[in-house]
């Protein structure tokens, strides 16, 4: 029992550590993409209000941490944590694109918003998934 608990704690710590590092990289990447888009002339206005570049980083951190928490729960509860996490995050990433598709913004802005979602997912999901076991040992 102690060995299982210790292994689970180490595994969870590894997931959280990798997730936090990936979250920081993703936040920097999404804000860089947004800044580059803005510099290229793409508006960051949605419904007439500008999204600050820092807002991309903040939202990336918030939703990435939700993903890290999800991974930690799946590591303890799912029979196949890695595949369950990847499938779930692919669906959630696809769903995150829906508001961008219907946003009151120019087409360029909508595409830029979707790209930032995909960039964040491309960084965080693999980094966290690599730390999850393919199958839980019970």
């Amino acid at each position: 029992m102690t060995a299982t608990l210790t292994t689970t704690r180490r595994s969870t710590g590894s997931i959280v550590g990798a997730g936090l590092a990936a979250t920081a990289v993703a936040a920097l990447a999404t804000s860089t993409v947004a800044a580059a888009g803005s510099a290229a002339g793409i508006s960051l206005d949605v419904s007439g209000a500008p999204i600050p570049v820092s807002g991309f980083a903040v939202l990336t951190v918030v939703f990435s941490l939700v993903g890290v928490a999800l991974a930690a729960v799946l590591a303890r509860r799912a029979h196949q944590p890695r595949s369950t996490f990847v499938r779930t995050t692919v669906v959630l990433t696809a769903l995150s694109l829906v508001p961008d598709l219907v946003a009151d913004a120019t087409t360029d802005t909508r595409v830029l918003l979707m790209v930032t979602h995909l960039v964040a997912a491309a960084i965080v999901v693999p980094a966290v998934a690599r730390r999850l076991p393919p199958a839980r040992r019970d």
Side-chain angles (χ1 to χ4, degrees), residues 18-76:
L20 292 176
T23 294
V25 171
L28 179 61
T30 57
S31 58
T32 299
V33 168
S38 180
I42 299 173
S43 170
L44 299 180
D45 292 1
V46 175
S47 297
I51 301 171
V53 170
S54 62
F56 288 85
V58 170
L59 288 176
T60 298
V61 168
V62 169
F63 288 105
S64 294
L65 292 178
V66 169
V68 172
L70 172 66
V73 169
L74 292 174
R76 293 174 184 245

Side-chain angles (χ1 to χ4, degrees), residues 5 30 34 38 52 54 74 79 97 107 112 114 117 121 125 135:
L5 184 56
T30 57
S38 180
S54 62
L74 292 174
H79 292 291
L97 301 177
T107 300
L112 181 64
M114 288 187 282
H117 288 216
V125 172

